[in-house]
Amino acid sequence: MKYISFLLVITVICSSCSKFLEEDPTAHLSTTTYYKTAADAEAAVNAVYAAARPQNFFALETRIAVGDIMSDDAEKGGGGASDVAEMQQLKLFVAKPDNGYVEGAWQANFHGIYLANLVLDRVPPIAMNETDKQRILGQARFFRAYFYLQLMELFGNVPLITKPLQTGDYNQPQATPAQVWAQIELDADSAIAVLPQQSELTVDKQGKATVGAAKALLLYAYLWQQKWADAQRIGDEIINSGQYTLAADYTKIFTSAGEFNTGSIFEINMANVPGKNVGSNINLWQNPRNTWGYGFVCPTQNLVNSFETGDPRLKATVIANGDVLPDGSVANTTSSQTGYYNKKYWLPQNEIPYNNGGGAGDGPTNERIYRLAVVMLWTAEAAVHNGDAGHATDLVNKVRERARKSGGNTDMGILPPYGTVTLDNIYHEQRVETALGDHIRFFELVRTGKAAGTLPGYKEGVHNHLPIPLREIQLSNGLLRQNQGY
């Protein structure tokens, strides 16, 4: 199959820099002569991290095209309906199995799984410090679970590959969803047993997977399966671990200064090294079209209206016409499809990549994957299902209190605490807390059964997942089965 066979070499990444993904690949080495030393093992797992880096908008950043644009939080934007029409097809729920974003998401995630499987297969025989070895293997298990979780969100019916395949073995049938979820849980549990705590990471290791990251992944897997007791248990373990506290000011979380803040559990590390191609092009895609960006992912009026009066998170999420931005410029959003732009990927003049000697695609913004506030809201959701409304209310009110005190707000009457929180209160809080930065709105609507009643054109039982890519079905000689409705 294409997703297994197209990568026959391992990419080696420099691991000695202050950001461990700061360098371009330095070699392409055959897997038959590689995996001999501890340095080989470290470089191999760094290649798995590189596979998660959202440099290619058409591949890994399908999570933005799906998570944000397919939801009620954003319109596609850009230069009109025909500008990247395949993204508009996703938005309108008319995407076909040959859609480039569909194919890119499949390939990119199986690419990451392939690299993780190589680490898990080839690193164990290496003579090296055993603790270091186990942590490398734990990172690979974390990422295999991470990529499979994305595949389950996106496609639902995928092959389960847990070892590097040999020529002739590439065509693999789809596993049952239950089998894939079980593997995700197993990998996450295995990672939890050997990964370090957040407090053990040195500055040069920021962005490495930790116990908290693996537990947050496991929490989300439990939520998808409606394993509410397990979800609340693992969520409370993260919250009570003493490893994380809510960052004081929400409005700074998605800025460069907010990277790796006290409430950050896991981020995909984007290095701001001009010309090295190790940054993100998401800043370019989402910054205003009449400045230096392409102007995609435009916040909707529906999203703007969902924020309560005075909520500082609105100004941290949405750029409106005439807003005075942190670098002193005045926003002109007339080129936006909706009249708004996404604040969470906006950059001040001194951080625009080409102003630093790099290319426009060398964006510096880390991808926030798991955050304490989101874990608290997910745990609150599970607690309500478990009949523990008091605990849920306390968690949600703490998130609202942080928001109330953010952005220099002095009106302590905004965002009043809930008396007894309901699921709808939690869903509201999840939306405004995560909008356009965590890229989960569409997935949350699907997961909670709210998509059909919220998204025009969405059909329950069909649009829960993307179609299986046509090319993959063709390459498998029909072994892969198409998802229902496509």
Side-chain angles (χ1 to χ4, degrees):
M1 273 184 153
K2 182 179 180 184
Y3 58 77
I4 309 255
S5 62
F6 75 90
L7 182 61
L8 298 178
V9 294
I10 188 74
T11 302
V12 183
I13 305 295
C14 170
S15 60
S16 62
C17 308
S18 60
K19 279 195 172 187
F20 59 88
L21 293 181
E22 280 190 353
E23 294 296 329
D24 278 338
T26 56
H28 297 283
L29 302 179
S30 167
T31 57
T32 60
T33 59
Y34 195 45
Y35 301 101
K36 302 297 184 184
T37 68
D40 292 343
E42 184 69 28
V45 79
N46 281 353
V48 186
Y49 283 88
R53 194 174 67 223
Q55 176 62 28
N56 184 351
F57 196 93
F58 291 91
L60 286 175
E61 280 316 302
T62 298
R63 61 194 293 265
I64 286 177
V66 178
D68 294 332
I69 292 174
M70 283 180 68
S71 80
D72 52 348
D73 278 358
E75 297 291 347
K76 177 181 70 69
S82 63
D83 188 6
V84 192
E86 287 181 311
M87 200 190 303
Q88 185 72 356
Q89 293 164 9
L90 290 169
K91 176 67 177 178
L92 298 177
F93 298 102
V94 296
K96 304 298 184 185
D98 61 352
N99 182 283
Y101 281 89
V102 170
E103 178 76 15
W106 182 279
Q107 290 181 10
N109 283 291
F110 274 111
H111 173 194
I113 289 165
Y114 172 78
L115 293 174
N117 283 339
L118 280 177
V119 172
L120 292 168
D121 184 70
R122 307 298 172 84
V123 167
I126 294 176
M128 59 182 293
N129 178 277
E130 189 62 25
T131 297
D132 292 343
K133 178 191 294 186
Q134 290 305 315
R135 287 186 172 181
I136 285 172
L137 296 174
Q139 291 169 72
R141 291 188 183 100
F142 166 80
F143 270 110
R144 186 166 67 184
Y146 172 80
F147 290 122
Y148 263 118
L149 179 52
Q150 292 197 128
L151 286 168
M152 290 302 290
E153 291 177 313
L154 290 164
F155 298 102
N157 298 288
V158 298
L160 180 58
I161 313 297
T162 58
K163 62 181 180 180
L165 299 181
Q166 303 302 314
T167 303
D169 293 334
Y170 296 145
N171 287 348
Q172 295 289 320
Q174 287 138 310
T176 67
Q179 289 172 319
V180 181
W181 284 120
Q183 186 63 51
I184 290 170
E185 291 182 20
L186 177 62
D187 279 340
D189 279 327
S190 298
I192 289 166
V194 296
L195 289 176
Q197 294 284 358
Q198 179 73 24
S199 56
E200 297 178 61
L201 296 185
T202 54
V203 172
D204 63 315
K205 298 298 183 183
Q206 285 183 322
K208 291 287 190 179
T210 62
V211 171
K215 286 186 175 182
L217 187 155
L218 185 57
L219 164 61
Y220 202 36
Y222 285 147
L223 291 180
W224 274 100
Q225 299 173 85
Q226 299 185 359
K227 294 184 175 181
W228 306 119
D230 287 329
Q232 183 177 346
R233 171 184 56 80
I234 205 76
D236 281 337
E237 286 180 10
I238 299 168
I239 294 163
N240 297 325
S241 66
Q243 296 293 308
Y244 311 99
T245 58
L246 289 174
D249 190 342
Y250 179 90
T251 65
K252 291 182 170 55
I253 289 175
F254 289 90
T255 67
S256 295
E259 291 179 356
F260 303 120
N261 62 74
T262 59
S264 178
I265 297 175
F266 186 66
E267 300 181 17
I268 295 177
N269 204 351
M270 308 306 299
N272 186 10
V273 183
K276 288 292 188 178
N277 198 36
V278 291
S280 171
N281 64 10
I282 305 308
N283 297 109
L284 171 65
W285 275 74
Q286 297 198 43
N287 267 259
R289 192 171 183 83
N290 55 10
T291 58
W292 66 282
Y294 295 160
F296 287 88
V297 193
C298 296
T300 61
Q301 189 65 51
N302 181 283
L303 172 62
V304 171
N305 293 346
S306 71
F307 287 86
E308 295 165 65
T309 301
D311 189 341
R313 290 174 292 192
L314 173 59
K315 287 290 188 181
T317 304
V318 173
I319 299 173
N321 200 46
D323 282 354
V324 178
L325 298 169
D327 64 359
S329 61
V330 177
N332 179 352
T333 65
T334 56
S335 61
S336 165
Q337 179 181 353
T338 64
Y340 300 105
Y341 280 116
N342 184 358
K343 181 70 174 295
K344 288 177 177 173
Y345 283 95
W346 175 85
L347 293 177
Q349 287 291 320
N350 64 349
E351 292 185 24
I352 295 174
Y354 63 68
N355 287 344
N356 293 324
D362 293 320
T365 303
N366 283 3
E367 281 289 288
R368 277 62 166 178
I369 305 299
Y370 299 120
R371 299 190 291 115
L372 177 61
V374 183
V375 164
M376 292 169 71
L377 295 174
W378 283 341
T379 305
E381 180 185 348
V384 168
H385 283 286
N386 293 329
D388 195 353
H391 183 41
T393 302
D394 179 61
L395 291 173
V396 174
N397 283 340
K398 286 178 179 176
V399 173
R400 286 171 68 82
E401 180 184 16
R402 189 270 297 277
R404 185 184 311 124
K405 295 179 178 179
S406 293
N409 176 60
T410 58
D411 180 3
M412 294 298 108
I414 67 168
L415 301 176
Y418 290 112
T420 300
V421 78
T422 66
L423 275 178
D424 283 341
N425 296 147
I426 295 171
Y427 296 153
H428 160 76
E429 208 65 32
Q430 288 172 344
R431 183 183 189 187
V432 297
E433 176 70 25
T434 66
L436 305 182
D438 297 272
H439 319 305
I440 62 174
R441 174 64 175 172
F442 175 78
F443 301 115
E444 292 292 75
L445 288 172
V446 173
R447 181 179 67 79
T448 58
K450 299 285 188 181
T454 304
L455 305 175
Y458 179 97
K459 181 183 290 187
E460 184 66 28
V462 175
H463 298 124
N464 308 58
H465 298 117
L466 300 179
I468 304 300
L470 175 62
R471 180 168 173 78
E472 304 302 331
I473 292 176
Q474 292 172 334
L475 288 170
S476 76
N477 294 316
L479 182 63
L480 293 179
R481 293 173 288 105
Q482 186 55 269
N483 281 336
Q484 180 181 339
Y486 296 101

